Amino acid sequence: MSEKHLLVQSEGAGHGMEIDSISSGSPASPSPLGAQPMQLNGCRSFRSMLGSPDISLANNAYWGIPSRRWDANAWKRQSSSAEQLPVLMSLFGGEMSLLRSPLQPPSPGFSFDLTERNAVLGRLLEGSPPPRPVKTGTTISGMVFRDGVVLGADTRATSGDVVADKMCAKIHRISANMYCCGAGTAADTQKTTDLLASNLALFSLNSQRAPRVLMAASILQDTLYRYGGQIGAHLILGGVDYSGAHLYTVGPYGSVDKLPFVSMGSGSMAALGILEDRYKPNMEVEEAKVLVRDSVQAGIMGDLGSGSNVDLCVITAQAVDYIRPYQESQYTNGRNRKYKYPPGTTALLSEKVVPLRMELVTEAVQRMETH
Amino acid sequence: MEHDAAVRGVSTGTTIMAVTFDGGVIIGSDSRATRGGEEVSSKTINKLVQVHQRIFCCMAGSLADAQAVLKTASFQLNLHSVQMEAPPRVIAAASLLRKLCYHNKDELQAGFITAGWDPQKGPQVYVVSLGGMLISQPFTIAGSGSTYIYGYTDAKYRPHMTREEGLQFVTNALALAMGRDNVSGGVAHLVVITEEGAEHVVIPGNKLPKFHDE
């Protein structure tokens, strides 16, 4: 069969027309338009190009101050021969490679260090099922109102069918003027937003400028794109900077969209219905808070993965109002968390005092330097 | 999140086109982005990206891949323009996109139409397809919705149209495609690029031309 072939794609989303394409570029040619398993080695080349400093826009923002390199492998080499230590070292080593150095350009491609750790943990667990990752199965939403941005989230984190956390905080602080809601895998949203917050803080210190929301969205996009969807973070980023109030949504594959109102997570469809119905541009703050609360409530009632309380975060040019919780769930089980008894609860029936005789044997005084 | 077999993540699932007329080009697209072929993730996404003063690109395929490629390409194009101390040619923008799409064809699912005006060759339209093919055409259509309008565009295109005729041609073609393709819709974005500059025209969904059965 000749290498040139005619491909017409008449279904599926968004593929152009390819005429007379020479397919010699793809060996063992499955249709380039069909489902290909992600070639993890191949992934490195385009994404690695984005990691190199002269191309990635995010890295241009790092002011290139050299810092010590955390060498992930050094931890492992230094570990003793004890059975448990290599596990711990690889735990930290794996984590360190992810957090390696916020000032340096991120290492290209996808880092597989943590798969090693997972394999070791799996051997340790030996047959019992591995812990399921905590997902937030969430309703998060946000909207732009007259003076700024309102972000809202529910507070349920699930691990499989069990609610792992009833008061999970899904609105993460990025900087004084920017907050980010996260849906998807809890660890991924937390780590991604933490990294972003650290990097922006450093940028702020180095440049003496407050970061723009656009910059944060761009950094998130670059980071998530580089991992090709493996980081399950569905984010809503909102904030106010000198150019006004902005709301962005960033998907796990690295797609960014700037919108006046948005919702993400498993309850997003329920929340979106409320927002679509009642959103108007330039709403007042109280109306906006009620609307976001209603949209999250729709997700809480209509989606199994969302529940418990509603958190709100109102960001304006003057101040940030982080209201946690804005609304408490009415379905608590009434259990008191504190079991403190006031003094006098236990009755005193009798008292007997026995003095202890102590004999002074030696006495030594040592002066201490106090300055 | 649903995994679409064809496109990872959010898909632009689109209808995009560009056509030259007497004195410029018109580039147009719909504004719908879908996820998994079932859910509209954005009704108002902007698929027309300005990479330089008189060069616009529109994207098709995976939204994440297309945005990443366009970010890289606009950065490189700007750098090239600064180094040459001259505005870049449209072919330069198209070539950058082609280079990225071709050398990374195993990982990327993104295609582009580049259209613009430069002093050397005037109005031009280039299409960079999924695998990295680059060709120049007087007009071109792409995206999933384009299959429904091949007949219409082939029949109705004439060389040397006026600006108004060009606008009508693109509007009609987009409206027809959006009417038949489920992953195209929203508003119609058109940009008219001439020697004077670029002008953005937005036609809301309810103002699009209606045809016999609507």
Side-chain angles (χ1 to χ4, degrees):
Chain A
M1 182 171 134
S2 128
E3 280 185 0
K4 289 193 188 204
H5 56 268
L6 198 70
L7 277 176
V8 176
Q9 185 71 1
S10 61
E11 62 168 6
H15 295 131
M17 178 92 162
E18 194 165 338
I19 309 174
D20 255 1
S21 140
I22 300 173
S23 70
S24 54
S26 38
S29 230
S31 156
L33 302 167
Q36 281 189 49
M38 268 234 311
Q39 296 168 15
L40 294 168
N41 284 331
C43 265
R44 287 186 179 267
S45 62
F46 180 60
R47 299 195 168 91
S48 67
M49 185 174 61
L50 290 178
S52 61
D54 58 346
I55 298 235
S56 166
L57 293 173
N59 292 323
N60 285 338
Y62 302 163
W63 288 58
I65 295 176
S67 71
R68 282 179 314 183
R69 266 190 180 280
W70 293 100
D71 184 0
N73 293 324
W75 285 91
K76 289 183 206 152
R77 281 198 294 276
Q78 287 166 17
S79 67
S80 76
S81 57
E83 185 54 41
Q84 302 301 321
L85 266 174
V87 176
L88 293 173
M89 287 303 149
S90 63
L91 274 170
F92 284 112
E95 295 254 305
M96 283 308 180
S97 66
L98 204 60
L99 302 168
R100 194 191 315 266
S101 169
L103 288 170
Q104 287 183 317
S107 55
F110 181 46
S111 164
F112 289 92
D113 297 343
L114 288 175
T115 56
E116 235 180 281
R117 175 207 76 167
N118 291 344
V120 172
L121 281 177
R123 280 198 295 278
L124 283 180
L125 287 171
E126 261 182 22
S128 53
R132 306 257 298 266
V134 173
K135 293 180 74 77
T136 54
T138 288
T139 307
I140 50 175
S141 66
M143 60 171 275
V144 179
F145 69 101
R146 200 189 56 174
D147 308 318
V149 172
V150 180
L151 300 172
D154 74 307
T155 59
R156 173 180 290 182
T158 52
S159 179
D161 295 331
V162 173
V163 174
D165 191 350
K166 290 181 280 196
M167 262 300 265
C168 163
K170 300 185 191 180
I171 308 183
H172 311 282
R173 181 188 183 278
I174 304 293
S175 72
N177 59 333
M178 274 193 263
Y179 279 72
C180 186
C181 306
T185 307
D188 288 344
T189 58
Q190 283 167 12
K191 271 290 181 246
T192 310
T193 47
D194 277 353
L195 263 176
L196 174 68
S198 305
N199 290 338
L200 284 183
L202 286 164
F203 166 78
S204 253
L205 289 167
N206 284 327
S207 64
Q208 295 294 306
R209 290 170 77 164
R212 292 178 64 173
V213 189
L214 174 68
M215 177 181 177
S218 196
I219 294 176
L220 281 173
Q221 174 175 43
D222 286 345
T223 312
L224 292 173
Y225 182 74
R226 200 172 338 114
Y227 285 85
Q230 298 292 311
I231 296 186
H234 304 59
L235 305 168
I236 295 180
L237 174 73
V240 177
D241 59 30
Y242 77 90
S243 61
H246 306 284
L247 188 66
Y248 288 85
T249 173
V250 185
Y253 287 93
S255 55
V256 166
D257 200 6
K258 184 174 194 301
L259 294 162
F261 62 90
V262 65
S263 74
M264 298 283 267
S266 53
S268 66
M269 289 286 105
L272 209 50
I274 304 291
L275 286 168
E276 289 278 14
D277 187 32
R278 286 158 45 187
Y279 172 82
K280 290 184 298 296
N282 295 321
M283 284 170 84
E284 295 293 331
V285 60
E286 287 308 319
E287 219 186 327
K289 278 158 75 172
V290 167
L291 178 55
V292 173
R293 175 253 153 219
D294 286 348
S295 70
V296 178
Q297 181 69 15
I300 287 173
M301 299 308 276
D303 172 44
L304 295 177
S306 311
S308 302
N309 310 334
V310 179
D311 289 349
L312 278 194
C313 183
V314 184
I315 310 170
T316 56
Q318 288 76 37
V320 170
D321 196 6
Y322 190 93
I323 313 168
R324 176 173 154 82
Y326 179 74
Q327 174 194 276
E328 291 220 0
S329 163
Q330 67 244 70
Y331 300 106
T332 51
N333 51 12
R335 212 191 304 149
N336 287 331
R337 304 268 180 87
K338 293 191 177 22
Y339 293 95
K340 241 178 127 58
Y341 295 95
T345 307
T346 309
L348 187 61
L349 297 177
S350 66
E351 192 177 329
K352 178 176 174 189
V353 177
V354 177
L356 289 173
R357 285 190 182 285
M358 302 266 239
E359 199 183 308
L360 183 60
V361 178
T362 56
E363 188 180 343
V365 173
Q366 186 173 35
R367 290 200 173 277
M368 219 164 68
E369 288 292 331
T370 52
H371 57 271
Chain B
M1 192 185 64
E2 302 279 331
H3 256 300
D4 183 40
V7 176
R8 292 188 298 272
V10 177
S11 156
T12 57
T14 196
T15 309
I16 50 178
M17 63 183 290
V19 62
T20 51
F21 66 93
D22 226 359
V25 293
I26 300 173
I27 186 167
S29 80
D30 70 312
S31 70
R32 178 175 291 183
T34 52
R35 190 179 288 129
E38 292 169 355
E39 174 197 323
V40 174
S41 71
S42 177
K43 297 179 287 189
T44 54
I45 197 129
N46 178 29
K47 302 182 201 181
L48 296 177
V49 176
Q50 181 167 22
V51 294
H52 210 265
Q53 193 189 7
R54 290 189 194 86
I55 310 177
F56 275 73
C57 294
C58 44
M59 42 180 156
S62 155
L63 186 60
D65 288 346
Q67 284 180 339
V69 170
L70 277 176
K71 270 174 88 167
T72 311
S74 10
F75 172 82
Q76 290 177 348
L77 190 70
N78 260 296
L79 186 60
H80 163 74
S81 170
V82 165
Q83 286 172 335
M84 303 296 280
E85 293 187 1
R89 300 193 190 188
V90 187
I91 182 73
S95 287
L96 279 170
L97 290 172
R98 185 273 312 262
K99 201 159 86 93
L100 290 168
C101 290
Y102 178 75
H103 290 294
N104 301 291
K105 62 165 74 180
D106 292 336
E107 302 128 48
L108 289 175
Q109 287 176 325
F112 303 91
I113 292 180
T114 307
W117 186 96
D118 63 29
Q120 290 83 14
K121 281 181 148 174
Q124 298 146 75
V125 168
Y126 295 90
V127 57
V128 177
S129 70
L130 219 63
M133 170 192 77
L134 168 65
I135 56 173
S136 169
Q137 294 179 307
F139 80 94
T140 188
I141 56 178
S144 59
S146 66
T147 52
Y148 304 101
I149 49 172
Y150 271 100
Y152 176 79
T153 52
D154 283 342
K156 287 291 184 179
Y157 172 75
R158 284 172 299 107
H160 307 297
M161 287 189 285
T162 65
R163 183 180 185 276
E164 284 63 37
E165 285 170 348
L167 277 170
Q168 194 61 49
F169 173 65
V170 175
T171 312
N172 286 349
L174 285 176
L176 284 166
M178 291 198 269
R180 284 291 183 181
D181 183 26
N182 66 326
V183 290
S184 300
V187 309
H189 287 290
L190 286 83
V191 175
V192 184
I193 309 166
T194 57
E195 185 176 359
E196 281 78 46
E199 183 201 332
H200 192 186
V201 178
V202 177
I203 305 176
N206 58 352
K207 300 274 189 341
L208 285 171
K210 290 196 179 343
F211 297 94
H212 66 97
D213 58 345
E214 295 172 87

Short mmCIF file of all heavy atoms in Angstrom, two decimals, chain B residues 140-184:
data_model
loop_
_atom_site.label_atom_id
_atom_site.label_comp_id
_atom_site.label_asym_id
_atom_site.label_seq_id
_atom_site.Cartn_x
_atom_site.Cartn_y
_atom_site.Cartn_z
N THR B 140 -10.62 28.43 2.01
CA THR B 140 -10.53 27.10 2.58
C THR B 140 -11.52 26.95 3.73
O THR B 140 -11.86 27.94 4.38
CB THR B 140 -9.10 26.78 3.06
OG1 THR B 140 -9.03 25.42 3.42
CG2 THR B 140 -8.74 27.61 4.27
N ILE B 141 -11.99 25.74 3.95
CA ILE B 141 -12.88 25.45 5.08
C ILE B 141 -12.28 24.28 5.84
O ILE B 141 -11.60 23.43 5.27
CB ILE B 141 -14.31 25.12 4.61
CG1 ILE B 141 -14.31 23.96 3.63
CG2 ILE B 141 -14.96 26.34 4.00
CD1 ILE B 141 -15.70 23.57 3.18
N ALA B 142 -12.54 24.23 7.13
CA ALA B 142 -11.97 23.15 7.95
C ALA B 142 -12.82 22.95 9.19
O ALA B 142 -13.69 23.77 9.50
CB ALA B 142 -10.53 23.47 8.33
N GLY B 143 -12.56 21.86 9.87
CA GLY B 143 -13.33 21.56 11.06
C GLY B 143 -14.40 20.53 10.75
O GLY B 143 -14.67 20.20 9.60
N SER B 144 -15.01 20.02 11.81
CA SER B 144 -15.99 18.96 11.60
C SER B 144 -17.21 19.46 10.84
O SER B 144 -17.83 18.72 10.08
CB SER B 144 -16.43 18.39 12.94
OG SER B 144 -16.99 19.41 13.73
N GLY B 145 -17.54 20.72 11.01
CA GLY B 145 -18.72 21.24 10.32
C GLY B 145 -18.48 21.56 8.87
O GLY B 145 -19.42 21.80 8.12
N SER B 146 -17.23 21.53 8.45
CA SER B 146 -16.93 21.94 7.08
C SER B 146 -17.46 20.93 6.07
O SER B 146 -17.75 21.28 4.93
CB SER B 146 -15.43 22.12 6.90
OG SER B 146 -14.77 20.89 7.04
N THR B 147 -17.59 19.67 6.49
CA THR B 147 -18.04 18.65 5.54
C THR B 147 -19.42 18.97 4.99
O THR B 147 -19.75 18.55 3.88
CB THR B 147 -18.10 17.27 6.22
OG1 THR B 147 -18.87 17.39 7.41
CG2 THR B 147 -16.71 16.79 6.59
N TYR B 148 -20.23 19.72 5.78
CA TYR B 148 -21.59 20.01 5.33
C TYR B 148 -21.66 21.17 4.34
O TYR B 148 -22.72 21.44 3.78
CB TYR B 148 -22.48 20.33 6.54
CG TYR B 148 -22.47 19.22 7.55
CD1 TYR B 148 -21.70 19.31 8.69
CD2 TYR B 148 -23.22 18.06 7.34
CE1 TYR B 148 -21.68 18.29 9.62
CE2 TYR B 148 -23.19 17.04 8.26
CZ TYR B 148 -22.42 17.16 9.39
OH TYR B 148 -22.40 16.12 10.30
N ILE B 149 -20.55 21.88 4.16
CA ILE B 149 -20.63 23.06 3.30
C ILE B 149 -19.66 23.03 2.12
O ILE B 149 -19.44 24.05 1.48
CB ILE B 149 -20.40 24.36 4.11
CG1 ILE B 149 -19.15 24.26 4.99
CG2 ILE B 149 -21.62 24.66 4.96
CD1 ILE B 149 -18.78 25.58 5.63
N TYR B 150 -19.08 21.86 1.85
CA TYR B 150 -18.20 21.80 0.68
C TYR B 150 -18.95 22.16 -0.59
O TYR B 150 -18.47 22.94 -1.42
CB TYR B 150 -17.57 20.41 0.55
CG TYR B 150 -16.29 20.29 1.31
CD1 TYR B 150 -16.24 19.68 2.55
CD2 TYR B 150 -15.13 20.84 0.80
CE1 TYR B 150 -15.06 19.61 3.26
CE2 TYR B 150 -13.95 20.78 1.52
CZ TYR B 150 -13.92 20.17 2.74
OH TYR B 150 -12.77 20.12 3.45
N GLY B 151 -20.13 21.58 -0.72
CA GLY B 151 -20.90 21.85 -1.93
C GLY B 151 -21.24 23.32 -2.05
O GLY B 151 -21.09 23.94 -3.12
N TYR B 152 -21.70 23.89 -0.93
CA TYR B 152 -22.11 25.29 -0.96
C TYR B 152 -20.93 26.19 -1.32
O TYR B 152 -21.03 27.06 -2.19
CB TYR B 152 -22.68 25.70 0.40
CG TYR B 152 -23.04 27.16 0.46
CD1 TYR B 152 -24.21 27.63 -0.11
CD2 TYR B 152 -22.17 28.09 1.03
CE1 TYR B 152 -24.53 28.97 -0.10
CE2 TYR B 152 -22.46 29.43 1.05
CZ TYR B 152 -23.64 29.87 0.48
OH TYR B 152 -23.93 31.20 0.49
N THR B 153 -19.80 25.98 -0.69
CA THR B 153 -18.67 26.88 -0.94
C THR B 153 -18.11 26.67 -2.34
O THR B 153 -17.74 27.64 -3.02
CB THR B 153 -17.55 26.68 0.10
OG1 THR B 153 -17.20 25.30 0.16
CG2 THR B 153 -17.99 27.15 1.46
N ASP B 154 -18.06 25.45 -2.79
CA ASP B 154 -17.58 25.23 -4.15
C ASP B 154 -18.47 25.92 -5.17
O ASP B 154 -18.01 26.47 -6.17
CB ASP B 154 -17.52 23.72 -4.47
CG ASP B 154 -16.33 23.05 -3.83
OD1 ASP B 154 -15.39 23.76 -3.44
OD2 ASP B 154 -16.33 21.81 -3.72
N ALA B 155 -19.78 25.87 -4.92
CA ALA B 155 -20.70 26.47 -5.89
C ALA B 155 -20.69 27.99 -5.83
O ALA B 155 -20.78 28.66 -6.86
CB ALA B 155 -22.11 25.94 -5.62
N LYS B 156 -20.55 28.54 -4.60
CA LYS B 156 -20.78 29.98 -4.46
C LYS B 156 -19.52 30.83 -4.52
O LYS B 156 -19.61 32.04 -4.63
CB LYS B 156 -21.48 30.25 -3.11
CG LYS B 156 -22.91 29.83 -3.07
CD LYS B 156 -23.76 30.72 -3.96
CE LYS B 156 -25.22 30.35 -3.85
NZ LYS B 156 -26.06 31.20 -4.67
N TYR B 157 -18.36 30.22 -4.38
CA TYR B 157 -17.17 31.06 -4.36
C TYR B 157 -16.87 31.61 -5.75
O TYR B 157 -16.96 30.90 -6.75
CB TYR B 157 -15.94 30.26 -3.88
CG TYR B 157 -14.66 31.03 -4.03
CD1 TYR B 157 -14.34 32.06 -3.16
CD2 TYR B 157 -13.77 30.75 -5.07
CE1 TYR B 157 -13.19 32.80 -3.29
CE2 TYR B 157 -12.60 31.49 -5.21
CZ TYR B 157 -12.32 32.50 -4.32
OH TYR B 157 -11.17 33.23 -4.48
N ARG B 158 -16.55 32.91 -5.76
CA ARG B 158 -16.03 33.50 -7.00
C ARG B 158 -14.78 34.29 -6.65
O ARG B 158 -14.71 34.91 -5.60
CB ARG B 158 -17.06 34.46 -7.61
CG ARG B 158 -18.23 33.78 -8.30
CD ARG B 158 -19.29 34.78 -8.70
NE ARG B 158 -19.86 35.48 -7.60
CZ ARG B 158 -19.62 36.78 -7.31
NH1 ARG B 158 -18.82 37.49 -8.08
NH2 ARG B 158 -20.19 37.35 -6.27
N PRO B 159 -13.77 34.29 -7.51
CA PRO B 159 -12.60 35.11 -7.21
C PRO B 159 -12.94 36.60 -7.33
O PRO B 159 -13.93 36.97 -7.97
CB PRO B 159 -11.57 34.70 -8.28
CG PRO B 159 -12.36 34.02 -9.34
CD PRO B 159 -13.62 33.51 -8.74
N HIS B 160 -12.15 37.43 -6.65
CA HIS B 160 -12.33 38.89 -6.70
C HIS B 160 -13.70 39.33 -6.24
O HIS B 160 -14.35 40.15 -6.90
CB HIS B 160 -12.06 39.44 -8.11
CG HIS B 160 -10.72 39.01 -8.65
ND1 HIS B 160 -9.53 39.36 -8.07
CD2 HIS B 160 -10.41 38.23 -9.69
CE1 HIS B 160 -8.54 38.82 -8.73
NE2 HIS B 160 -9.04 38.13 -9.72
N MET B 161 -14.16 38.81 -5.13
CA MET B 161 -15.42 39.30 -4.57
C MET B 161 -15.17 40.64 -3.90
O MET B 161 -14.04 40.99 -3.57
CB MET B 161 -15.93 38.32 -3.50
CG MET B 161 -16.49 37.03 -4.04
SD MET B 161 -17.30 36.08 -2.77
CE MET B 161 -15.92 35.43 -1.89
N THR B 162 -16.24 41.38 -3.66
CA THR B 162 -16.10 42.60 -2.87
C THR B 162 -16.18 42.22 -1.40
O THR B 162 -16.50 41.09 -1.04
CB THR B 162 -17.22 43.59 -3.18
OG1 THR B 162 -18.47 43.00 -2.75
CG2 THR B 162 -17.27 43.93 -4.64
N ARG B 163 -15.91 43.21 -0.54
CA ARG B 163 -15.93 42.97 0.90
C ARG B 163 -17.30 42.48 1.36
O ARG B 163 -17.41 41.53 2.14
CB ARG B 163 -15.54 44.25 1.63
CG ARG B 163 -15.45 44.13 3.11
CD ARG B 163 -15.05 45.49 3.69
NE ARG B 163 -14.83 45.44 5.11
CZ ARG B 163 -15.76 45.53 6.03
NH1 ARG B 163 -17.01 45.71 5.66
NH2 ARG B 163 -15.47 45.46 7.31
N GLU B 164 -18.35 43.12 0.87
CA GLU B 164 -19.72 42.75 1.30
C GLU B 164 -20.07 41.36 0.81
O GLU B 164 -20.67 40.56 1.54
CB GLU B 164 -20.75 43.75 0.78
CG GLU B 164 -20.77 45.07 1.53
CD GLU B 164 -19.47 45.84 1.40
OE1 GLU B 164 -18.85 45.81 0.30
OE2 GLU B 164 -19.03 46.46 2.39
N GLU B 165 -19.68 41.04 -0.43
CA GLU B 165 -19.97 39.71 -0.95
C GLU B 165 -19.21 38.66 -0.15
O GLU B 165 -19.75 37.59 0.17
CB GLU B 165 -19.55 39.61 -2.43
CG GLU B 165 -20.49 40.33 -3.38
CD GLU B 165 -19.91 40.41 -4.78
OE1 GLU B 165 -18.69 40.13 -4.96
OE2 GLU B 165 -20.66 40.76 -5.71
N GLY B 166 -17.96 38.99 0.18
CA GLY B 166 -17.17 38.06 0.98
C GLY B 166 -17.80 37.80 2.33
O GLY B 166 -17.90 36.66 2.79
N LEU B 167 -18.26 38.88 2.99
CA LEU B 167 -18.89 38.73 4.31
C LEU B 167 -20.13 37.86 4.21
O LEU B 167 -20.38 36.99 5.04
CB LEU B 167 -19.25 40.10 4.88
CG LEU B 167 -18.10 40.83 5.58
CD1 LEU B 167 -18.50 42.26 5.90
CD2 LEU B 167 -17.74 40.11 6.87
N GLN B 168 -20.92 38.10 3.17
CA GLN B 168 -22.15 37.33 3.00
C GLN B 168 -21.84 35.87 2.76
O GLN B 168 -22.49 34.97 3.31
CB GLN B 168 -22.95 37.91 1.82
CG GLN B 168 -24.38 37.43 1.73
CD GLN B 168 -25.17 37.82 2.95
OE1 GLN B 168 -25.16 38.95 3.38
NE2 GLN B 168 -25.83 36.84 3.55
N PHE B 169 -20.81 35.61 1.97
CA PHE B 169 -20.39 34.25 1.65
C PHE B 169 -20.01 33.51 2.93
O PHE B 169 -20.48 32.39 3.20
CB PHE B 169 -19.22 34.30 0.66
CG PHE B 169 -18.58 32.99 0.36
CD1 PHE B 169 -19.28 31.98 -0.30
CD2 PHE B 169 -17.26 32.75 0.71
CE1 PHE B 169 -18.67 30.77 -0.60
CE2 PHE B 169 -16.65 31.54 0.41
CZ PHE B 169 -17.35 30.55 -0.24
N VAL B 170 -19.16 34.14 3.73
CA VAL B 170 -18.69 33.47 4.95
C VAL B 170 -19.83 33.29 5.94
O VAL B 170 -19.97 32.23 6.55
CB VAL B 170 -17.53 34.26 5.59
CG1 VAL B 170 -17.12 33.65 6.91
CG2 VAL B 170 -16.34 34.31 4.66
N THR B 171 -20.67 34.33 6.08
CA THR B 171 -21.78 34.22 7.03
C THR B 171 -22.72 33.09 6.64
O THR B 171 -23.12 32.28 7.49
CB THR B 171 -22.56 35.55 7.05
OG1 THR B 171 -21.65 36.61 7.19
CG2 THR B 171 -23.55 35.56 8.19
N ASN B 172 -23.07 33.04 5.37
CA ASN B 172 -23.98 31.97 4.91
C ASN B 172 -23.37 30.60 5.14
O ASN B 172 -24.03 29.67 5.63
CB ASN B 172 -24.29 32.13 3.42
CG ASN B 172 -25.25 33.27 3.17
OD1 ASN B 172 -25.83 33.81 4.09
ND2 ASN B 172 -25.40 33.64 1.90
N ALA B 173 -22.10 30.47 4.78
CA ALA B 173 -21.45 29.16 4.91
C ALA B 173 -21.42 28.72 6.38
O ALA B 173 -21.75 27.57 6.71
CB ALA B 173 -20.04 29.22 4.34
N LEU B 174 -21.03 29.64 7.28
CA LEU B 174 -20.99 29.28 8.70
C LEU B 174 -22.38 28.93 9.22
O LEU B 174 -22.55 27.97 9.96
CB LEU B 174 -20.41 30.45 9.51
CG LEU B 174 -18.89 30.66 9.40
CD1 LEU B 174 -18.48 31.91 10.16
CD2 LEU B 174 -18.14 29.46 9.93
N ALA B 175 -23.37 29.71 8.79
CA ALA B 175 -24.73 29.45 9.28
C ALA B 175 -25.21 28.07 8.84
O ALA B 175 -25.80 27.31 9.62
CB ALA B 175 -25.67 30.53 8.76
N LEU B 176 -24.91 27.72 7.61
CA LEU B 176 -25.33 26.40 7.11
C LEU B 176 -24.63 25.29 7.88
O LEU B 176 -25.24 24.29 8.26
CB LEU B 176 -25.02 26.30 5.61
CG LEU B 176 -25.97 27.06 4.70
CD1 LEU B 176 -25.39 27.17 3.30
CD2 LEU B 176 -27.33 26.37 4.65
N ALA B 177 -23.33 25.46 8.11
CA ALA B 177 -22.58 24.43 8.83
C ALA B 177 -23.08 24.30 10.26
O ALA B 177 -23.27 23.20 10.78
CB ALA B 177 -21.10 24.75 8.81
N MET B 178 -23.30 25.45 10.92
CA MET B 178 -23.77 25.40 12.32
C MET B 178 -25.15 24.79 12.41
O MET B 178 -25.52 24.18 13.40
CB MET B 178 -23.76 26.80 12.92
CG MET B 178 -22.36 27.34 13.11
SD MET B 178 -22.29 28.71 14.25
CE MET B 178 -22.51 30.07 13.19
N GLY B 179 -25.92 24.94 11.35
CA GLY B 179 -27.25 24.37 11.35
C GLY B 179 -27.27 22.86 11.26
O GLY B 179 -28.21 22.21 11.73
N ARG B 180 -26.23 22.29 10.68
CA ARG B 180 -26.24 20.84 10.48
C ARG B 180 -25.29 20.09 11.42
O ARG B 180 -25.50 18.91 11.70
CB ARG B 180 -25.83 20.53 9.02
CG ARG B 180 -26.95 20.79 8.03
CD ARG B 180 -28.07 19.83 8.17
NE ARG B 180 -29.12 20.01 7.18
CZ ARG B 180 -30.23 19.29 7.12
NH1 ARG B 180 -30.43 18.34 8.01
NH2 ARG B 180 -31.13 19.51 6.18
N ASP B 181 -24.22 20.76 11.88
CA ASP B 181 -23.23 20.07 12.70
C ASP B 181 -23.54 20.30 14.18
O ASP B 181 -23.68 21.45 14.60
CB ASP B 181 -21.83 20.60 12.37
CG ASP B 181 -20.74 19.87 13.13
OD1 ASP B 181 -20.95 18.71 13.52
OD2 ASP B 181 -19.66 20.46 13.34
N ASN B 182 -23.65 19.22 14.96
CA ASN B 182 -24.03 19.41 16.36
C ASN B 182 -22.92 20.01 17.20
O ASN B 182 -23.18 20.63 18.22
CB ASN B 182 -24.51 18.09 16.98
CG ASN B 182 -23.38 17.08 17.06
OD1 ASN B 182 -22.52 17.03 16.20
ND2 ASN B 182 -23.39 16.26 18.09
N VAL B 183 -21.66 19.84 16.79
CA VAL B 183 -20.58 20.39 17.62
C VAL B 183 -20.13 21.76 17.14
O VAL B 183 -19.11 22.27 17.60
CB VAL B 183 -19.37 19.44 17.71
CG1 VAL B 183 -19.73 18.24 18.55
CG2 VAL B 183 -18.88 19.03 16.36
N SER B 184 -20.88 22.37 16.23
CA SER B 184 -20.61 23.76 15.85
C SER B 184 -21.82 24.57 16.22
O SER B 184 -22.96 24.12 16.06
CB SER B 184 -20.37 23.91 14.35
OG SER B 184 -19.28 23.14 13.93
#
